[in-house]
Amino acid sequence: MLDRRTFVQSAVKTATIAAAATYMRPLTAQSSSSVARSPNDAIQFALIGAGIQGQGDTRTALQVPGVKLVAVADCYDGRLAHSKEMWGSDLFTTRDYREILARKDVDAVLIATPDHWHKQAAVDAMQAGKDVYLEKPMIHLYSDGPEIIGAARSTHRILQVGSQRVSSIVYAKAKELLASGAIGKLNMVTARWDRNSSIGAWNYTVPLDASVETCDWPRFLGSAPKVPFSGERFFQWRKWKDYGSGVAGDLFVHLFSGTHFITGAKGPTRAVATGGLRYWKDGRDVNDVLLALLDYPEGFNLSLRVNFVDGGEESEGFLFTGSEGIMEIAGNTVTVTRTPPAAEPGYTVSTFTDAMQREYIEQYRKKYPIAHPTGPLPQNIQRFIAPTGYSDSYDHFHNFFDAVRSRQPVVEDATFGFRAAGAALLSNLSVERDSVIHWNPETMKLI
């Protein structure tokens, strides 16, 4: 077993090399975005969408040295007020994120809005000259992907999608192990994300003062269908297709991001899914149980499950099955288990006559004599554990801000983000159409 220092060093090296090799793209040398920042300059960023994820992201982002929060936009006055309580009364706050994009003191934005605002906010920000950290899923509709990718390319802005496990040293170690042949040839990946709580099923608290006075309902709706104000829709938006992408967009996308990063795959070619609304029948129109099966051109299958009605412990994890072993990711631990194949093929002779059994076994033992193993015990189990307190979210933001300074590629750019989110939303499409869905991971198009 490797010690923790060796694990961290090797994993970070692997992640850095993989990111540079896979996502390097040329930038226009004369563009303002290609000018590297001095490491002594503070990067000033703004938060757009100060909900649970947005505020949590911001707390992590502010742990990265050399960054400063200067502005916050949100459609609920209470969150704007709380932002000042947390980060200072001099913080600029607004309901309209376009006021933030007009500010010259904002270098980058963190977008944590409902899914249906991701594309517009990201494109607006890049066109305004801001680098973007965009929460997952990158898209709400398939048409969002090409627009975001096109904007990133034409504006030469940095865009990092916020599926933080892609920056994890744990996932980097898993990638290294798989590439080294630790489990042989990969043939199947099984991943799950189960929850067993009301809050886990997106029943977030609605504040007592929620109203059309304190919430900018028209701005929140944006391109979504116009419906009367609803505190539940505003604060629990993941429960409706108009604003969110269901469990596929919220959780499957993490599993796709991890699978694609570790395997180097670009996406599946075929998907079929099933599920239903089994328990949380509270007016939502998205499933609380979803299962999906997908084919990958690299020669493995991916099996996914999300269950919001899990009567056991809440859990998430991966199991990579290969021809020579299995690799499991659970929390901040990677475990490789190998069961050596039998040294002999065995026989099935019990239905033969006694004489035939004796004759066959005699000849079999001449070819496969009984062996008595000697020597040291085989190392059939290897376990790698990240240091106590390790945070992949911190590493993901560090990766982003480093790219903002250096103008070097991030580990999860718009193309990677579209391939992960596009693959995830195949599950929703399969359930809606009650059919198998085909996808081209190279061109990122439905077939």
Side-chain angles (χ1 to χ4, degrees):
M1 183 184 299
L2 296 182
D3 59 44
R4 290 184 175 183
R5 176 175 295 179
T6 303
F7 169 42
V8 171
Q9 291 174 342
S10 65
V12 170
K13 181 179 179 181
T14 300
T16 302
I17 293 173
T22 307
Y23 302 111
M24 185 69 70
R25 64 177 184 272
L27 293 174
T28 303
Q30 300 302 318
S31 69
S32 61
S33 64
S34 64
V35 179
R37 287 177 167 274
S38 163
N40 298 314
D41 291 341
I43 295 173
Q44 301 195 138
F45 77 99
L47 169 62
I48 298 175
I52 298 170
Q53 189 67 44
Q55 290 188 23
D57 279 348
T58 300
R59 285 191 290 271
T60 301
L62 288 173
Q63 295 174 29
V64 179
V67 300
K68 179 182 179 181
L69 178 70
V70 296
V72 174
D74 196 84
C75 292
Y76 171 50
D77 293 344
R79 286 175 175 159
L80 298 178
H82 187 51
S83 294
K84 287 180 175 287
E85 292 172 345
M86 289 188 293
W87 296 308
S89 58
D90 59 340
L91 189 71
F92 175 78
T93 60
T94 177
R95 287 181 168 186
D96 186 352
Y97 72 77
R98 292 172 299 181
E99 294 185 359
I100 284 177
L101 301 185
R103 293 176 64 100
K104 294 183 178 179
D105 62 342
V106 173
D107 302 308
V109 295
L110 192 174
I111 299 173
T113 64
D115 298 354
H116 74 300
W117 266 106
H118 282 186
K119 183 264 295 183
Q120 194 60 53
V123 170
D124 287 348
M126 289 186 284
Q127 290 179 345
K130 316 302 182 186
D131 294 319
V132 174
Y133 182 104
L134 178 60
E135 259 303 335
K136 55 77 199 168
M138 191 183 88
I139 64 169
H140 184 234
L141 304 173
Y142 278 100
S143 58
D144 295 344
E147 288 193 57
I148 295 174
I149 292 172
R153 288 175 176 169
S154 65
T155 62
H156 303 288
R157 305 315 306 174
I158 297 294
L159 185 138
Q160 170 98 304
V161 180
S163 187
Q164 69 272 17
R165 287 160 185 79
V166 174
S167 287
S168 169
I169 59 173
V170 176
Y171 282 56
K173 186 62 184 179
K175 181 181 182 72
E176 174 193 314
L177 288 166
L178 182 64
S180 73
I183 62 171
K185 187 178 187 311
L186 181 69
N187 57 70
M188 186 172 183
V189 181
T190 305
R192 72 188 187 283
W193 199 315
D194 296 337
R195 290 180 173 177
N196 183 21
S197 68
S198 180
I199 291 177
W202 307 322
N203 292 314
Y204 306 131
T205 302
V206 178
L208 300 177
D209 67 347
S211 68
V212 292
E213 285 73 33
T214 60
C215 301
D216 192 335
W217 182 241
R219 193 181 304 279
F220 168 88
L221 288 177
S223 60
K226 304 301 181 280
V227 295
F229 174 76
S230 164
E232 287 72 23
R233 283 177 175 260
F234 190 100
F235 291 96
Q236 301 172 356
W237 54 265
R238 290 193 185 278
K239 292 160 54 173
W240 285 274
K241 297 175 184 177
D242 289 342
Y243 327 110
S245 310
V247 298
D250 186 26
L251 302 177
F252 272 8
V253 70
H254 279 305
L255 305 179
F256 278 105
S257 296
T259 298
H260 294 177
F261 175 72
I262 291 168
T263 65
K266 294 180 178 179
T269 55
R270 183 174 180 270
V272 62
T274 188
L277 190 55
R278 310 303 184 194
Y279 181 79
W280 297 103
K281 299 178 181 180
D282 52 7
R284 68 182 68 195
D285 62 10
V286 295
N287 294 337
D288 52 17
V289 173
L290 188 64
L291 304 96
L293 298 172
L294 304 105
D295 297 339
Y296 274 74
E298 288 79 7
F300 68 89
N301 286 89
L302 174 62
S303 170
L304 301 177
R305 181 188 79 229
V306 165
N307 185 356
F308 278 3
V309 201
D310 179 20
E313 293 185 1
E314 298 193 6
S315 63
E316 63 167 296
F318 281 94
L319 187 66
F320 293 79
T321 302
S323 58
E324 299 175 20
I326 59 174
M327 178 173 67
E328 182 175 11
I329 300 176
N332 278 340
T333 301
V334 184
T335 304
V336 173
T337 305
R338 304 179 190 87
T339 302
E344 57 184 74
Y347 50 79
T348 57
V349 298
S350 62
T351 61
F352 304 163
T353 65
D354 290 347
M356 178 56 71
Q357 291 186 44
R358 287 192 297 271
E359 182 180 352
Y360 184 91
I361 292 172
E362 181 181 355
Q363 293 187 22
Y364 179 88
R365 281 303 168 204
K366 288 180 181 179
K367 188 175 183 180
Y368 301 102
I370 295 176
H372 298 281
T374 59
L377 291 173
Q379 189 177 18
N380 293 337
I381 298 178
Q382 289 179 290
R383 182 169 286 113
F384 306 90
I385 306 172
T388 301
Y390 173 71
S391 169
D392 52 11
S393 294
Y394 174 84
D395 276 0
H396 208 45
F397 274 108
H398 208 298
N399 178 306
F400 171 65
F401 290 122
D402 280 351
V404 171
R405 291 183 186 280
S406 68
R407 313 315 296 175
Q408 294 302 305
V410 290
V411 71
E412 192 174 6
D413 65 5
T415 299
F416 187 106
F418 185 32
R419 285 184 167 133
L425 298 191
L426 295 176
S427 303
N428 291 344
L429 207 54
S430 177
V431 172
E432 291 170 6
R433 295 183 181 180
D434 191 22
S435 66
V436 175
I437 306 298
H438 296 271
W439 169 256
N440 186 324
E442 293 285 346
T443 62
M444 297 169 282
K445 293 181 179 180
L446 295 165
I447 300 174

